[in-house]
Amino acid sequence: MTKKSRNTRQKELIIKIISKHLGFFNAEDIFKLVQKEDSRIGIATIYRVLKDLKNKNKNKIYYYTCNRKSLYSNKKISHCHYICDKTGKISHFEIDSLDFLDNIKNKIPGTITSFQLEIHGICEKCE
């Protein structure tokens, strides 16, 4: 039996702040914003709400990993990295066209809602 999550005042405040956030955010970003409105809400509550939203996807929250840290977004955003194999430096970049995904759609047993891409190579400075 799955434990049903309650809608509390704290959870509603966190969801309201998340819904106004543009781009990527992490739990600490949301915590700082929540603290301005209610200093009694702890970071553990933020993590719990984010986990609940991610697992249930009821508010369309998307999950990514960046530098081994959890990132979230309330929009479908591509999250792309170029990683230099010599220095380990990570550069973020945007993809203008998702045409390359057309070739793999029939191999995926579901619908693509978002994606994360990691490309490795040697950067111009190291070549």
Side-chain angles (χ1 to χ4, degrees):
M1 187 159 140
T2 308
K3 183 178 176 182
K4 187 176 181 203
S5 124
R6 299 180 322 190
N7 264 351
T8 63
R9 180 188 57 75
Q10 292 91 347
K11 185 174 182 177
E12 288 174 7
L13 174 61
I14 294 166
I15 291 171
K16 181 180 105 179
I17 289 172
I18 287 171
S19 69
K20 292 179 182 179
H21 208 286
L22 301 174
F24 294 109
F25 57 88
N26 61 31
E28 291 79 17
D29 296 330
I30 299 303
F31 179 67
K32 289 175 191 171
L33 296 170
V34 165
Q35 287 292 292
K36 292 177 184 177
E37 295 197 33
D38 188 343
S39 62
R40 295 173 296 174
I41 298 175
I43 189 74
T45 303
I46 306 293
Y47 279 109
R48 232 181 346 268
V49 170
L50 286 170
K51 180 180 176 185
D52 185 46
L53 292 175
K54 180 183 99 172
N55 290 341
K56 295 189 177 164
N57 206 18
K58 63 183 175 184
N59 285 0
K60 295 290 185 196
I61 193 165
Y62 301 96
Y63 172 78
Y64 307 88
T65 304
C66 185
N67 295 334
R68 289 173 268 167
K69 293 185 179 186
S70 297
L71 276 183
Y72 302 88
S73 174
N74 53 21
K75 296 186 298 179
K76 290 182 189 180
I77 303 174
S78 64
H79 188 236
C80 306
H81 292 152
Y82 177 79
I83 302 169
C84 177
D85 288 335
K86 284 193 175 182
T87 64
K89 182 179 178 198
I90 298 173
S91 303
H92 291 86
F93 66 94
E94 303 254 343
I95 293 179
D96 297 327
S97 172
L98 302 180
D99 292 341
F100 71 95
L101 290 175
D102 289 336
N103 297 330
I104 62 168
K105 279 184 184 175
N106 61 349
K107 297 176 185 176
I108 296 171
T111 305
I112 299 171
T113 58
S114 64
F115 71 92
Q116 181 167 326
L117 179 66
E118 193 172 278
I119 298 174
H120 288 259
I122 308 297
C123 71
E124 292 173 347
K125 287 183 180 180
C126 292
E127 284 185 327

